[in-house]
Amino acid sequence: MGRKILLKHIDEPGIQGYDTYRRTGGYASVEKAVKTMTPEAIVEEVKKSGLRGRGGAGFPTGMKWSFLAKPEGVSRYLVCNADESEPGTFKDRYLMEKIPHLLIEGMITSSFALGAHTSYIYIRGEYFYIVNILEKAIEEAYANGWLGKNILGSGYDLDLYVHVGAGAYICGEETALLESLEGKRGNPRIKPPFPAIKGLWECPTVVNNVETIAAVVPIVNDGGDAYAAVGIGRSTGTKLISASGHINKPGVYEIEMGITVEDFIYSDEYCGGILNGKKLKAVVAGGSSVPILPADLILKTANGENRLMSYESLSDGGFATGTMLGSGGFIVMDETTSIVQNLHTFARFYHHESCGQCSPCREGTAWMEKILHKVLHGHGTLADVDLLWEIQSKIEGNTICPLGDAAAWPVASAIRHFRLEFEEYVKNPASIKEVKHYYNTQLV
Amino acid sequence: MAKVTIDGIEIEVPEGTTILQAARLIGPEVAPPAMCYHSKLKTSGGYCRTCLVEVTKGSEKDPRPMPKLVPSCRTTIMDGMEVGNKSSAKVVEARKGVVEFLLLNHPLDCPICDQAGECHLQDLSYENGTAKTRTDFERRTFNKIDIGSKIQLHMTRCILCYRCVKVADQITDKRIHGVLNRGEASEISTYIENVVENDFSGNVIDVCPVGALTDKTFRFKSRVWFTKPMQAHRDCDKCTGKVNLWFKGEEVLRVTGRKDQWGEVEEFICNTCRFDKKKTSDWTVEKPAPINHHSVISANHYEVFVKPTEFKLNVVKPLSIEEKAN
């Protein structure tokens, strides 16, 4: 069994409620933080832990925290990004649903470290039932003196609010999230200024993912070094992976960074192998935005080493032969999966979710979806495949926020690794009906 | 003051200047095109991505290049920065892409569009686009709507530059004009076709870079190149009263705000001046208006007059007369 840090007490009956959570050592980090530590010391511990943002970008959290501007007389805010909308990712939902107090505890400790007196959890509209769970947990925390005025007699005040979004993918982008939180249309802002300088209501703000904030709890409890001892290289600690697709045991798994991808897919402890004994065709390793990799490249890197579940190993080889850990949405596809169809689904999603501010994303995502629809239904030409490649290259890097990149990468990688399949869709439209699928890479 | 080099031309500008402003100080040959940035509107710019430039050297202190192309209208210069605009192959390629995206759903109905001849999108696509389209999909269309009795919105032509939204936000009160829906379905509109009743609402027409917002008192009266713009003024209690009158013969066909070299309004004017004062006797006519170097009108008699600015003249090659005519 791999070591568990966040989900250590997940099987404890009643862990959702305050009493059980407290009995299993809950809220110890708050006690330790406000009574024995200074905010700077906590930031230092987080830096030492090597914790990296779990929302997708993997930016070192301690560094992000230390960038927070601290002008005199201006409020600072901590916002938890619980707008988990990346297709294939559902780890935050699991965490908030099963152990809501872990997030609340992390919020209190992190807010103390950042000197925030008001903090928000921005949760997506589709998670309406979790809102109730969180509200109840916050109520219990208030009732037991963990929130409100003068927490544990330390003189530190904190109010925590849950804000429900309306269910837009774009509001998971931190500046769009802040706009939405301010009550405006959820459009990303143009950076700079970054939220650490001018965020919520023009005040310095830190936006962190649910899992990142939850990970602050063990870091404060056991120290940054203990957390850094888990994992491999610069990928420290554990990561929640949302495994879905053609596997025997889909679900949320807490893994130690650095186990092999092969182990994750085939071992009984995790995914338990491919469904119905079929062969593996491709994997999207970190949520729909990251490049898709064919079976041979996901298990081994281009130079023949074992691919590991870590930030570095998964991105080994750049986008030519690698991908990203992203948010940990691990989508496994077996040999019956049509890459073109899958890509069309992704493209349709990004078309629907583009906010429409900047031209490349607004027009490009729609265009790519239309072309893919055409190819999928047997009306495509070879020129269309080249055009798709051209369009994605014109979107990537030229947009305000990463949604443009997120829309472009899957298209680029699918054509890069599965071009023959696209060509087959174009050349033999009749064969599509027979549910025949084509590969230009080896199945494993 | 900070030194910045754009396409190999060095210029010294005050701290806090954007790359676009610095490039404009050097001259139109270097300035990136801008569809959504408007110097008189706060927080405008950054949306259309036509002014993307490549920063090959971040600054003297930190010479690392920026990893992505940056919007020059929203990026401030640093001392020692080196910027590639037309000299950068990446920028030229990206700009070509942006033009293609902007034209993807544009109806290209220039022959019947009132904006033709002074349209920024026309200029942009002539200079940076390709002659052929690669899409054969049906283009996005919308119904025309009237926002007020004097302004028509033809959303089909819109490139969503947000300039009119910023006008509605910043110079009119009681804002009811904005963007509905999202992504490709976004549209500029007033909520449930509400009428914009405001003394300054007419300025949305002037800031529109394409023919999406047009003056109903001028629609289909004349092609702009058959009219002659003259600077004029009157005493107005709401605005400065400094306008351009567009004459055809003795008749004033339309009144607009005065635009600078970059096609951006210098001073916003009120609706009374714009829509109601259409007799020569209402105005004191000053002189022929200087015309944007892009405008088809400039092909005839009008020429751009660029004031010498404070930049170092020795590093900027003065234009010859032939070049100016072009």
Side-chain angles (χ1 to χ4, degrees):
Chain A
M1 285 296 281
R3 184 150 25 153
K4 284 186 176 166
I5 295 177
L6 297 180
L7 305 181
K8 199 155 60 179
H9 302 294
I10 193 78
D11 295 327
E12 199 87 23
I15 191 76
Q16 217 186 18
Y18 173 77
D19 294 330
T20 316
Y21 182 74
R22 178 81 177 116
R23 205 180 57 240
T24 56
Y27 288 100
S29 76
V30 178
E31 235 170 338
K32 185 174 176 191
V34 302
K35 282 191 177 156
T36 64
M37 292 172 87
T38 62
E40 292 74 38
I42 303 175
V43 175
E44 209 42 54
E45 285 302 317
V46 174
K47 265 189 187 169
K48 251 194 267 172
S49 74
L51 175 66
R52 294 169 69 174
R54 301 292 195 230
F59 191 79
T61 307
M63 212 191 292
K64 191 176 192 173
W65 284 13
S66 60
F67 287 158
L68 185 72
K70 290 178 177 157
E72 216 37 52
V74 178
S75 321
R76 300 190 283 274
Y77 295 100
L78 171 68
V79 179
C80 171
N81 184 348
D83 192 85
E84 182 182 46
S85 328
E86 182 87 357
T89 313
F90 39 86
K91 64 187 174 64
D92 296 345
R93 180 182 73 182
Y94 183 78
L95 199 67
M96 290 188 289
E97 193 181 335
K98 301 291 179 195
I99 341 179
H101 280 286
L102 184 64
L103 175 61
I104 312 294
E105 183 181 350
M107 283 300 281
I108 302 168
T109 311
S110 310
S111 299
F112 177 74
L114 296 166
H117 294 286
T118 311
S119 295
Y120 298 90
I121 298 172
Y122 184 96
I123 189 167
R124 66 185 293 211
E126 287 88 342
Y127 286 178
F128 52 88
Y129 64 100
I130 297 177
V131 176
N132 295 338
I133 297 173
L134 286 177
E135 293 276 13
K136 186 164 168 274
I138 290 176
E139 212 172 278
E140 285 170 333
Y142 267 108
N144 290 285
W146 301 105
L147 277 169
K149 297 260 175 249
N150 198 7
I151 295 167
L152 301 183
S154 64
Y156 175 67
D157 307 334
L158 176 68
D159 284 308
L160 182 58
Y161 301 96
V162 177
H163 185 94
V164 189
Y169 176 67
I170 191 65
C171 288
E173 198 279 334
E174 56 179 2
T175 54
L177 185 152
L178 295 176
E179 286 279 297
S180 173
L181 194 55
E182 287 178 14
K184 298 175 193 152
R185 188 186 157 90
N187 280 354
R189 294 176 186 165
I190 292 159
K191 292 187 243 184
F194 289 90
I197 313 293
K198 266 189 186 177
L200 193 60
W201 293 297
E202 307 248 303
C203 296
T205 305
V206 166
V207 184
N208 277 141
N209 179 260
V210 172
E211 193 189 339
T212 315
I213 288 177
V216 171
V217 173
I219 290 171
V220 170
N221 277 339
D222 308 328
D225 290 329
Y227 190 84
V230 184
I232 180 169
R234 286 178 55 232
S235 305
T236 57
T238 60
K239 173 97 187 75
L240 296 182
I241 302 286
S242 327
S244 64
H246 299 126
I247 43 175
N248 282 320
K249 289 165 57 193
V252 175
Y253 295 100
E254 182 168 14
I255 59 151
E256 241 178 88
M257 294 272 201
I259 66 166
T260 63
V261 174
E262 193 171 359
D263 198 25
F264 183 71
I265 297 176
Y266 292 104
S267 82
D268 278 337
E269 189 185 341
Y270 303 113
C271 301
I274 309 296
L275 201 59
N276 298 332
K278 289 222 170 67
K279 284 175 178 163
L280 174 68
K281 179 176 183 182
V283 170
V284 177
S288 65
S289 311
V290 310
I292 187 171
L293 280 189
D296 49 350
L297 281 176
I298 190 71
L299 298 178
K300 297 255 192 263
T301 62
N303 45 23
E305 288 162 23
N306 273 339
R307 184 84 75 180
L308 311 178
M309 297 291 279
S310 73
Y311 290 102
E312 287 79 23
S313 177
L314 279 170
S315 55
D316 184 89
F319 280 0
T321 57
T323 179
M324 281 165 77
L325 180 59
S327 60
F330 199 86
I331 310 170
V332 180
M333 299 172 194
D334 74 7
E335 55 190 306
T336 62
T337 318
S338 158
I339 297 296
V340 179
Q341 202 168 357
N342 165 63
L343 185 62
H344 174 246
T345 310
F346 283 171
R348 199 175 60 197
F349 173 80
Y350 290 112
H351 170 203
H352 185 253
E353 296 296 342
S354 167
C355 82
Q357 268 193 124
C358 58
S359 347
C361 175
R362 177 184 66 235
E363 306 293 346
T365 51
W367 197 7
M368 290 197 300
E369 196 227 311
K370 284 178 189 163
I371 294 173
L372 279 165
H373 186 270
K374 200 168 120 184
V375 172
L376 183 65
H377 289 84
H379 306 294
T381 61
L382 282 177
D384 283 330
V385 184
D386 294 328
L387 185 56
L388 270 177
W389 180 267
E390 275 270 299
I391 299 170
Q392 68 77 21
S393 72
K394 295 281 165 61
I395 299 175
E396 192 201 340
N398 293 341
T399 53
I400 296 177
C401 78
L403 195 144
D405 300 342
W409 291 340
V411 176
S413 57
I415 296 179
R416 188 182 297 127
H417 300 299
F418 297 93
R419 196 185 169 92
L420 281 187
E421 191 167 327
F422 284 86
E423 287 178 0
E424 203 56 51
Y425 262 76
V426 168
K427 285 184 200 148
N428 303 318
S431 69
I432 303 163
K433 295 198 183 83
E434 301 160 20
V435 203
K436 257 164 88 181
H437 300 291
Y438 298 88
Y439 335 95
N440 57 350
T441 49
Q442 209 185 334
L443 292 172
V444 177
Chain B
M1 299 294 272
K3 256 187 219 156
V4 54
T5 311
I6 302 170
D7 279 356
I9 303 174
E10 195 180 87
I11 186 171
E12 221 170 308
V13 289
E15 303 272 349
T17 313
T18 61
I19 297 173
L20 183 72
Q21 283 163 338
R24 283 180 171 186
L25 283 176
I26 295 175
E29 292 70 29
V30 180
M35 303 293 285
C36 65
Y37 170 76
H38 193 291
S39 51
K40 310 296 176 307
L41 296 170
K42 273 178 246 154
T43 70
S44 68
Y47 305 121
C48 69
R49 319 306 279 182
T50 54
C51 72
L52 289 175
V53 290
E54 185 183 9
V55 177
T56 45
K57 181 182 168 194
S59 68
E60 207 57 66
K61 272 185 216 152
D62 182 7
R64 283 177 303 167
M66 293 193 184
K68 288 178 175 180
L69 302 183
V70 294
S72 58
C73 60
R74 294 291 285 264
T75 312
T76 48
I77 52 109
M78 306 285 268
D79 191 33
M81 190 183 251
E82 280 172 25
V83 179
N85 176 28
K86 283 174 188 166
S87 62
S88 156
K90 252 162 116 185
V91 171
V92 171
E93 203 47 38
R95 203 166 281 161
K96 215 191 219 173
V98 173
V99 175
E100 190 169 23
F101 288 134
L102 288 177
L103 291 178
L104 197 62
N105 279 298
H106 192 79
L108 298 173
D109 57 348
C110 310
I112 55 152
C113 175
D114 279 303
Q115 191 84 4
E118 52 178 16
C119 175
H120 292 200
L121 188 58
Q122 274 185 331
D123 302 333
L124 181 78
S125 44
Y126 282 137
E127 284 171 14
N128 302 291
T130 47
K132 273 189 175 173
T133 175
R134 292 190 287 183
T135 176
D136 50 359
F137 296 106
E138 212 170 285
R139 285 163 197 253
R140 177 173 73 216
T141 53
F142 295 88
N143 290 332
K144 295 187 191 79
I145 57 170
D146 288 331
I147 47 175
S149 55
K150 301 283 168 53
I151 308 167
Q152 190 168 62
L153 169 63
H154 195 4
M155 188 55 215
T156 310
R157 291 174 186 152
C158 180
I159 57 161
L160 284 158
C161 70
Y162 282 62
R163 277 184 186 179
C164 60
V165 179
K166 306 280 177 192
V167 166
D169 202 17
Q170 290 168 23
I171 64 171
T172 69
D173 51 358
K174 275 215 292 183
R175 183 188 149 195
I176 46 171
H177 164 280
V179 180
L180 301 183
N181 301 328
R182 75 177 175 203
E184 199 210 12
S186 303
E187 64 177 296
I188 301 286
S189 189
T190 50
Y191 189 57
I192 327 187
E193 301 193 8
N194 218 324
V195 171
V196 180
E197 288 294 355
N198 189 290
D199 276 340
F200 284 83
S201 63
N203 288 301
V204 296
I205 301 166
D206 278 356
V207 298
C208 184
V210 294
L213 286 156
T214 47
D215 182 345
K216 283 176 81 182
T217 62
F218 179 65
R219 273 175 77 85
F220 305 131
K221 287 261 182 75
S222 170
R223 310 286 355 195
V224 287
W225 53 86
F226 295 136
T227 60
K228 288 193 172 143
M230 301 292 271
Q231 286 190 343
H233 67 268
R234 66 180 273 270
D235 277 335
C236 177
D237 50 1
K238 291 177 199 149
C239 65
T240 57
K242 289 181 184 165
V243 300
N244 279 350
L245 300 181
W246 298 73
F247 282 98
K248 191 173 191 180
E250 292 300 305
E251 203 186 343
V252 177
L253 286 189
R254 71 167 172 170
V255 183
T256 66
R258 290 183 190 173
K259 291 187 180 178
D260 61 15
Q261 192 189 350
W262 315 104
E264 289 162 16
V265 182
E266 283 171 1
E267 277 166 299
F268 295 110
I269 60 167
C270 68
N271 284 4
T272 319
C273 288
R274 183 187 303 273
F275 298 123
D276 302 335
K277 304 292 176 188
K278 294 238 170 155
K279 275 185 275 169
T280 317
S281 58
D282 293 329
W283 299 93
T284 310
V285 178
E286 294 165 12
K287 58 177 182 192
I291 287 300
N292 181 313
H293 69 289
H294 285 303
S295 172
V296 285
I297 301 173
S298 65
N300 298 327
H301 310 292
Y302 295 86
E303 264 191 23
V304 198
F305 175 68
V306 188
K307 275 188 203 166
T309 39
E310 285 177 8
F311 63 84
K312 286 185 179 169
L313 282 169
N314 59 339
V315 290
V316 183
K317 194 176 65 136
L319 289 182
S320 67
I321 292 164
E322 293 84 47
E323 277 172 327
K324 258 189 202 173
N326 289 332

